[in-house]
Amino acid sequence: MRRWRESWASSEPTAERAAIARLAGELEQIGLPDEEIEIEREMLQALIDRDELSCATRAGGLPRVETGHRVVRGEPCHFSAPATLVQETAQPTGRLLLTSGRVIFVGGGASVAIPWHAVSAAAHADRHLVLVKSGGEVAYRFRCNSYTDALCAAFIGREILAARRSATPGL
């Protein structure tokens, strides 16, 4: 299982259908009962979901998520999912929203709004969305409910950051 997870991690950043099929085959070859590879199946599904999001984004741009949440204030919202703000002592649970201008977390008595210009990278670590400031310091860590949410949020974050960089040469 350790080798499969290492293979998944090394394939994850650019995993497309061929890599996903290879990982699925490797997982089947392990031969463990479904209940013993439940997390790995979730990880594999996350790659499939992220690949579908990537294809849809290439074809028509980032998704538009309808939300009536007042914190969005008319900005295009590209992602919305339940999450936990990890670095807060109480680790409040709420909603993570990614708009074209900000990363927003609301819930559990906590509210955070981070403008994308303050973020240098978006990544995932297991089920976490990790936002990094310039200089490499982790700014925020949000625990998502699934690998799919974490991978898709990180993908959308990278797409927004890339669009901002190409719109503002020299960033």
Side-chain angles (χ1 to χ4, degrees):
M1 290 310 298
R2 180 181 50 77
R3 276 182 279 201
W4 186 89
R5 283 176 171 248
E6 289 170 357
S7 183
W8 181 90
S10 66
S11 298
E12 184 279 322
T14 58
E16 293 180 352
R17 288 183 176 98
I20 294 167
R22 179 184 50 77
L23 285 166
E26 290 173 5
L27 189 58
E28 289 303 317
Q29 288 176 352
I30 293 171
L32 292 173
D34 283 346
E35 61 271 6
E36 292 186 35
I37 57 172
E38 185 176 338
I39 292 173
E40 290 75 15
R41 288 203 182 282
E42 179 189 340
M43 293 166 71
L44 191 59
Q45 185 61 49
L47 289 179
I48 294 167
D49 295 341
R50 201 276 322 276
D51 182 55
E52 289 174 358
L53 174 62
S54 176
C55 290
T57 299
R58 282 194 303 269
L62 287 172
R64 294 276 184 132
V65 177
E66 292 300 320
T67 178
H69 214 297
R70 67 181 181 273
V71 297
V72 173
R73 288 185 260 161
E75 291 179 62
C77 184
H78 304 293
F79 180 84
S80 176
T84 300
L85 184 57
V86 175
Q87 64 266 36
E88 291 291 319
T89 305
Q91 294 194 359
T93 299
R95 180 133 311 259
L96 176 63
L97 303 149
L98 305 181
T99 72
S100 58
R102 302 175 289 155
V103 177
I104 303 166
F105 175 84
V106 290
S111 180
V112 174
I114 309 143
W116 282 111
H117 67 77
V119 176
S120 65
H124 85 90
D126 293 326
R127 290 184 179 116
H128 294 170
L129 168 64
V130 180
L131 302 178
V132 179
K133 291 193 254 184
S134 297
E137 179 187 345
V138 172
Y140 289 96
R141 184 180 290 264
F142 302 95
R143 184 174 42 248
C144 298
N145 288 349
S146 69
Y147 278 87
T148 290
D149 285 348
L151 266 67
C152 289
F155 172 81
I156 290 169
R158 287 190 299 268
E159 290 291 306
I160 291 170
L161 289 169
R164 292 182 60 79
R165 286 185 189 108
S166 67
T168 312
L171 283 182

